[in-house]
Amino acid sequence: MIEILRYFGLPIDASADGFAIDEILGLVHWLMLILFIGWGTFFIYSLIRFRQRRNPVADHDGVKSHFSSVLELAVAIIEMVLLVGFAIPIWASRVNDVPESGNAVHIRVVAQQFAWNFHYPGPDGMFGLTEPSRVDEETNPIGLNRSSLGGADDIVTINQLHFPVNKRIRLDLSTKDVIHSVNLPEFRVKQDAIPGMTIPIHFEASMTSKDFIESLSGTARDTLPEIEKGFQIACAQLCGLGHYRMKGYVKVHDDAGFQAWLNEQAEYLEEEGDEDDWGDDDW
Ligand SMILES: [Cu+2]
């Protein structure tokens, strides 16, 4: 079923749930191929069967039986059953089952023209308050209140998303301005960010960035200059003039690597806090 996807240039599947999506993609493409051949054949048959030489005078009465109307109705009912009875419940059971903060690595994603802001709760596992009045595009793009409860140790990055492999990842997606869309093709994740809404999405990476980069050797992507940065985040909604440069990178660590990265970020925070002190190294 899935082999058909090889011809569509789909990126490698680096997600624990990706195979289910690929399976559906494969099924849909097979179904469309069958429909295309079926309707194409019918079209060519009709061209020959009703050619002018054989039907010199048009028949204004047309079809008299109700067979085609009944058929139409039957198709419509079957499609409704498929949609309401199967598609919506299956989608809800897979996607709506959002993990709680304790069962997943919880990260907030705040999209804006034209960058991705990532907000990590820090060692205490608690997000500090973000307030529109505190937004400063240079120093505090998400308006984080450092003195709010849980806010002091929060980590904020721009265009750089880090998370561990083989762990449930929960992203809470929001936007500061227009509609954007976070697209992580290798994890089979794509979700619009809608102004005024926070939309949770969840997935699990099955491959570290290191393994991913190795898997690309010898492929067309291998020659791209940014390849050493690994997985890319593309904005998948045309969101303005700078849409083309709304590009981020994902680094999937192993457990130890993710912890080391968190520690490194915590150190940076401390250094920033000491900024006003005299006697620092950069003196
Ligand atoms: Cu965008």
Side-chain angles (χ1 to χ4, degrees):
M1 272 305 159
I2 247 173
E3 290 79 57
I4 194 172
L5 298 177
R6 217 180 308 148
Y7 303 101
F8 301 135
L10 211 63
I12 196 168
D13 171 20
S15 150
D17 318 292
F19 71 94
I21 291 176
D22 286 4
E23 208 165 62
I24 284 285
L25 275 178
L27 280 172
V28 166
H29 279 93
W30 278 113
L31 178 66
M32 288 303 132
L33 189 66
I34 292 165
L35 286 179
F36 173 72
I37 292 171
W39 284 115
T41 311
F42 177 69
F43 173 62
I44 291 164
Y45 165 80
S46 303
L47 286 180
I48 297 167
R49 171 69 181 76
F50 300 106
R51 65 190 186 277
Q52 196 190 15
R53 197 148 28 96
R54 199 166 154 179
N55 303 271
V57 183
D59 174 5
H60 295 287
D61 293 333
V63 181
K64 292 220 177 59
S65 92
H66 289 292
F67 177 68
S68 58
S69 324
V70 174
L71 200 65
E72 281 281 336
L73 193 67
V75 169
I77 289 172
I78 291 171
E79 283 178 352
M80 271 191 296
V81 170
L82 282 178
L83 185 67
V84 179
F86 293 90
I88 294 176
I90 289 175
W91 181 255
S93 76
R94 305 274 161 86
V95 178
N96 244 2
D97 193 14
V98 180
E100 287 302 314
S101 213
N103 301 326
V105 177
H106 197 176
I107 304 164
R108 284 184 182 164
V109 181
V110 185
Q112 71 172 87
Q113 287 172 322
F114 299 97
W116 299 100
N117 302 290
F118 301 106
H119 180 187
Y120 303 76
D124 65 358
M126 200 170 164
F127 290 103
L129 278 181
T130 52
E131 295 156 24
S133 59
R134 287 178 190 269
V135 169
D136 180 312
E137 292 304 341
E138 296 280 299
T139 57
N140 192 0
I142 63 166
L144 177 63
N145 183 348
R146 287 273 175 206
S147 47
S148 66
L149 188 62
D153 61 353
D154 286 15
I155 295 163
V156 180
T157 62
I158 300 172
N159 291 334
Q160 269 194 59
L161 175 59
H162 293 249
F163 53 73
V165 71
N166 297 331
K167 286 261 162 63
R168 211 71 208 154
I169 310 299
R170 171 176 169 173
L171 303 180
D172 283 4
L173 188 58
S174 60
T175 165
K176 277 162 69 176
D177 37 53
V178 300
I179 299 176
H180 301 273
S181 179
V182 66
N183 186 14
L184 305 165
E186 288 86 4
F187 307 112
R188 303 295 189 265
V189 166
K190 186 187 266 178
Q191 173 62 53
D192 277 7
I194 311 290
M197 289 177 81
T198 302
I199 303 171
I201 48 178
H202 57 101
F203 59 96
E204 186 179 324
S206 59
M207 191 185 258
T208 61
S209 289
K210 196 167 159 277
D211 293 340
F212 171 63
I213 292 165
E214 273 166 23
S215 78
L216 291 179
S217 85
T219 69
R221 276 179 84 171
D222 198 14
T223 53
L224 295 177
E226 66 258 274
I227 196 59
E228 77 278 2
K229 292 182 183 164
F231 299 108
Q232 270 193 30
I233 311 166
C235 180
Q237 282 289 3
L238 188 55
C239 56
L241 282 175
H243 168 66
Y244 70 94
R245 63 180 155 85
M246 191 166 168
K247 189 158 72 170
Y249 296 93
V250 180
K251 181 136 191 197
V252 184
H253 301 264
D254 55 21
D255 273 342
F258 184 59
Q259 202 49 54
W261 179 77
L262 285 176
N263 295 342
E264 191 186 316
Q265 295 302 309
E267 270 169 40
Y268 286 147
L269 264 186
E270 263 175 44
E271 279 169 28
E272 266 173 43
D274 295 340
E275 230 168 22
D276 302 331
D277 294 352
W278 292 90
D280 258 340
D281 310 327
D282 48 359
W283 164 240

